[in-house]
Amino acid sequence: MTQKITKIAVLTSGGDSPGMNAAIRAVVRTGIYYGLEVYGIMRGYAGLVEGDIFKMESKSVANIIQRGGTILKTARCKEFHTKEGRQKAYDNLRKIGIGGLIAIGGDGTFRGAQLFSSEFDIPCIGLPGTIDKDIDGTDFTIGFDTAVNTAVQAIDRLRDTADAHDRLFVIEVMGRDSGYIALHSGIATGAENILIPEKKSDINEIMASLQEKQRRKKLVNIIVVAEGGTYGAVELSKVITENIPEQEVRVCILGHIQRGGAPTCLDRLIASRMGYSAVECLLEGRYNVFVGILNNSMHYIPLEKAVKQKQTVSDEWLKIVKILAS
Ligand code: ADP
């Protein structure tokens, strides 16, 4: 890409996450600040393939920084997996003269962007928008902080009722095959145990710990389970009931409430910084990277490295869980 970029486009793809709107706003306003024309693409790669593209103005992104979801909508697009689909997408961008694409989404979105930019003359910049925090190379992903705070609020409420009835709640949180929502929300709510996919759960150890606490009459209210772990909440509750029949157990699967809602200050902030940086990347010729934040500095990681990689959970975190729940 040697031609100067004068028109850029932005899309949101894959699972939505709170803060995506703040990122769109930052892209649009930064682009306009630098004299670029900025286009919005509806429903991720689906809208790109279908040519559902429109010019955005500064006012197009007014009053959205505080809103969850994404004004550009999002979708999963099978056609973009095919060369023909990506060719259509490229033709649609070329028709308008768009010279750079900013894709906000998770690792799947990045894989699509990487493939697209390697096949066609379109630089792509990725912004990590996922509640799961499963992208290596960045301390933050847009939406994680909001999702984890939603989980914390819900678990606090469940603890009140659990405490009132001396019940044990097994609470399942989201995160696909990443345990970060479970780990953070579990520590922040004082959970007795946290089951995450990154560490194989030893069911005998969990039962022994619950039984030991029963013996010394320590009230155990909360176990947090990540959805992608070895045991789901329903399964775990059955095992507990079989092993400790006198313990009253309830299950709560938090589900999609963790995806929506107004983004937290942190998510708005990182989305704004990342959106701004994405435009700068395109202007400075730093192509085909995703924007991350490491140690409070912007980092630019080649899209080809953005393979799905769980940030390894430090053993120290797990030690903290154990000590604090004793
Ligand atoms: P997320 O971005 O949240 O991980 P997905 O994994 O569903 O969500 O990916 C979003 C979209 O990215 C897919 O629907 C598809 O259009 C595109 N995509 C994902 N992987 C690829 C790939 N290997 N090749 C082309 N496009 C892809």
Side-chain angles (χ1 to χ4, degrees):
M1 188 88 204
T2 46
Q3 256 179 333
K4 194 170 169 286
I5 294 175
T6 57
K7 299 179 184 184
I8 63 171
V10 58
L11 60 78
T12 48
S13 159
D16 65 304
S17 66
M20 280 182 160
N21 280 327
I24 296 167
R25 172 179 177 271
V27 167
V28 171
R29 297 242 162 118
T30 308
I32 291 170
Y33 172 82
Y34 284 118
L36 302 174
E37 280 185 24
V38 185
Y39 289 81
I41 299 168
M42 296 304 293
R43 292 169 294 108
Y45 295 125
L48 185 55
V49 171
E50 291 159 22
D52 196 353
I53 304 171
F54 69 104
K55 187 155 177 277
M56 298 183 84
E57 309 295 344
S58 190
K59 65 176 184 311
S60 320
V61 290
N63 203 21
I64 65 166
I65 194 169
Q66 77 283 18
R67 282 167 57 189
T70 157
I71 59 161
L72 293 178
K73 302 199 179 282
T74 182
R76 296 200 155 90
C77 173
K78 283 205 181 105
E79 222 183 330
F80 202 70
H81 283 272
T82 66
K83 181 80 195 258
E84 297 73 43
R86 293 191 296 274
Q87 180 69 54
K88 278 193 214 165
Y90 177 73
D91 294 342
N92 287 330
L93 290 177
R94 272 291 165 245
K95 242 182 271 168
I96 305 172
I98 292 166
L101 175 67
I102 295 169
I104 308 167
D107 61 294
T109 300
F110 288 2
R111 269 197 296 278
Q114 148 66 14
L115 198 56
F116 192 49
S117 63
S118 68
E119 289 171 340
F120 299 100
D121 186 19
I122 286 284
C124 293
I125 307 294
L127 294 188
T130 162
I131 63 167
D132 304 329
K133 196 167 125 70
D134 56 354
I135 293 175
D136 200 36
T138 179
D139 290 338
F140 303 104
T141 62
I142 298 164
F144 171 75
D145 188 63
T146 307
V148 90
N149 275 293
T150 303
V152 164
Q153 282 175 19
I155 296 169
D156 282 347
R157 286 172 191 193
L158 292 168
R159 182 185 276 285
D160 287 347
T161 180
D163 186 55
H165 291 274
D166 287 349
R167 277 177 189 148
L168 169 62
F169 266 83
V170 182
I171 302 164
E172 189 173 300
V173 298
M174 277 186 155
R176 292 199 290 186
D177 41 11
S178 162
Y180 269 94
I181 295 181
L183 190 66
H184 284 223
S185 63
I187 291 176
T189 54
E192 147 71 21
N193 212 321
I194 302 169
L195 276 63
I196 56 173
E198 290 86 345
K199 190 171 184 285
K200 205 171 175 328
S201 310
D202 182 341
I203 201 74
N204 295 326
E205 197 184 302
I206 296 167
M207 290 312 127
S209 156
L210 287 174
Q211 277 156 342
E212 187 270 326
K213 280 175 184 145
Q214 275 248 327
R215 274 195 296 278
R216 62 180 164 96
K217 307 238 175 307
K218 178 180 190 276
L219 201 59
V220 172
N221 297 129
I222 304 291
I223 295 180
V224 176
V225 176
E227 65 180 350
T230 334
Y231 291 91
V234 174
E235 214 181 343
L236 182 64
S237 78
K238 278 189 191 142
V239 180
I240 296 172
T241 308
E242 277 162 21
N243 283 272
I244 317 171
E246 62 276 24
Q247 173 72 66
E248 218 184 318
V249 188
R250 290 285 186 277
V251 171
C252 183
I253 298 173
L254 294 188
H256 280 82
I257 61 159
Q258 294 158 93
R259 253 188 208 289
T264 58
C265 175
L266 179 62
D267 275 331
R268 296 179 201 195
L269 208 64
I270 59 164
S272 300
R273 286 176 78 187
M274 286 176 172
Y276 161 85
S277 288
V279 177
E280 294 234 306
C281 280
L282 286 176
L283 291 172
E284 289 165 6
R286 198 183 279 128
Y287 294 160
N288 308 327
V289 294
F290 82 88
V291 177
I293 300 178
L294 279 176
N295 301 323
N296 205 25
S297 299
M298 304 316 290
H299 275 253
Y300 310 99
I301 302 101
L303 277 174
E304 66 219 14
K305 287 202 180 159
V307 288
K308 190 176 182 111
Q309 193 170 335
K310 282 168 231 102
Q311 305 193 13
T312 39
V313 173
S314 143
D315 284 344
E316 196 160 34
W317 284 73
L318 300 168
K319 190 174 166 190
I320 290 171
V321 174
K322 211 168 184 175
I323 291 173
L324 299 190
S326 57

